[in-house]
Amino acid sequence: MRSALILLALIFQLPAADFATLLRDRTAVERVYHDHRTGEKPPFEQAVPGDQLRCMVEADMKKEAVLKRVYHVEISDAEITAEITRINQTTRAPEILAGLQAALGGDPKRFGEIIAKPILVDKTLRARFENDPEAHAAQRQTLTAQRDSVLAAAADPATRLPLLRACPGATLQTTTWPLTPAPVTTKSSSANYSVEATLDLAPSDPAKPSDTPAPRLADLPAPLQDVLRTQLLKPGDLSPVVETPTDFRLLLCQSRDPAIITAATLTLPKKSFEDWLLNH
């Protein structure tokens, strides 16, 4: 065991004693989570074996190392302190939080290192990755080339639509959005309960299909809203490549009038965070 800890510490350029401390604290944290799980469960040592615990610590350390090496970002003590404050103020499980704090000896530094810091590292690393043009260059180039191919064809949407379908790895979906604001509805209610709550408690009618909410323009990311409102003005109009946190998109106007717009959206997912991290 000691030789394994020393090897892992060397890989992550961390003193062996520090790795052992993180492993000890991760074990304490997972034991608290295990104790609060309901229902039948195996003993802790079977549910969370030692190899799994070491993998948890390694994963946290790798993310921290990648954040520093690739993006030159380190989480500061002030950020950790602020995250601890946020956790304390917003927790929905005060009993579990108290158990975690007790298991870590009531030491804010240990709590920060094993709980708060990994949360910040993961959130920061994912945000940097989502907005990293180099990490997603291949996907952007694929959709840019597809756009060039579509623009070379006639402007007729019936001609351009099949070309969108030809993009490998992408999905195509046609959606109709209202361009006018949805009407404001008033909710009926009594002094004791609302009509909506009463309906929620009523048995459902299996013969009546459930209502599917209509798509709303306001629910789309702002860049997509702007494209639909200002750039897809007539059938056949093709948008630039639009980037979202998870994918790249091309939009093709199929029909439009003052009230509604129907557009085909070609979506190509970005490289997954897990695949990217595996190679770093």
Side-chain angles (χ1 to χ4, degrees):
M1 170 66 73
R2 179 172 175 76
S3 61
L5 290 177
I6 293 174
L7 177 60
L8 290 169
L10 289 173
I11 292 173
F12 292 106
Q13 300 181 342
L14 188 74
D18 289 352
F19 189 93
T21 298
L22 290 173
L23 182 58
R24 177 202 65 193
D25 287 350
R26 172 55 61 190
T27 302
V29 164
E30 294 303 320
R31 191 180 293 277
V32 172
Y33 290 144
H34 180 267
D35 290 345
H36 281 84
R37 292 191 181 102
T38 58
E40 294 185 10
K41 54 190 175 185
F44 174 74
E45 289 73 14
Q46 294 179 21
V48 193
D51 288 346
Q52 184 175 340
L53 290 164
R54 283 190 290 276
C55 285
M56 291 178 181
V57 176
E58 291 171 35
D60 287 344
M61 293 174 65
K62 179 174 183 178
K63 289 179 183 178
E64 184 177 357
V66 170
L67 181 62
K68 181 178 180 181
R69 186 181 71 252
V70 177
Y71 298 118
H72 312 292
V73 174
E74 295 185 68
I75 302 301
S76 67
D77 291 342
E79 289 174 307
I80 294 174
T81 299
E83 179 65 10
I84 293 174
T85 300
R86 184 196 68 78
I87 292 171
N88 288 332
Q89 292 177 346
T90 63
T91 181
R92 298 181 182 180
E95 292 183 3
I96 296 178
L97 178 58
L100 293 172
Q101 292 168 336
L104 296 170
D107 186 343
K109 182 173 178 58
R110 290 172 64 187
F111 185 92
E113 285 295 321
I114 204 65
I115 294 180
K117 188 176 185 180
I119 291 174
L120 290 171
V121 167
D122 182 80
K123 181 169 66 175
T124 305
L125 183 59
R126 287 178 184 273
R128 292 278 178 155
F129 165 76
E130 286 177 358
N131 297 284
D132 185 345
E134 183 177 344
H136 308 292
Q139 290 77 15
R140 177 184 284 278
Q141 289 170 4
T142 295
L143 219 57
T144 299
Q146 195 69 26
R147 181 176 187 270
D148 292 342
S149 175
V150 174
L151 286 175
D156 181 3
T159 302
R160 289 185 164 181
L161 190 60
L163 293 173
L164 283 181
R165 290 196 182 98
C167 185
T171 59
L172 187 67
Q173 181 178 11
T174 298
T175 310
T176 298
W177 290 275
L179 293 171
T180 53
V184 177
T185 58
T186 57
K187 296 182 178 180
S188 301
S189 62
S190 71
N192 299 318
Y193 54 85
S194 68
V195 172
E196 288 79 6
T198 305
L199 294 175
D200 288 342
L201 295 175
S204 60
D205 182 357
K208 182 179 180 180
S210 59
D211 293 332
T212 301
R216 299 193 327 150
L217 205 59
D219 293 334
L220 291 175
L224 292 175
Q225 292 187 45
D226 180 67
V227 164
L228 287 164
R229 291 187 184 279
T230 66
Q231 299 188 40
L232 302 189
L233 301 179
K234 64 182 184 302
D237 282 352
L238 185 67
S239 75
V241 175
V242 181
E243 181 176 359
T244 79
T246 59
D247 53 53
F248 294 99
R249 304 186 194 185
L250 278 177
L251 291 87
L252 174 68
C253 181
Q254 294 182 278
S255 65
R256 176 170 181 146
D257 62 35
I260 61 173
I261 180 172
T262 298
T265 303
L266 184 71
T267 302
L268 183 64
K270 290 182 175 179
K271 179 184 293 186
S272 77
F273 175 75
E274 289 72 19
D275 289 344
W276 175 81
L277 185 61
L278 188 64
N279 295 313
H280 282 77

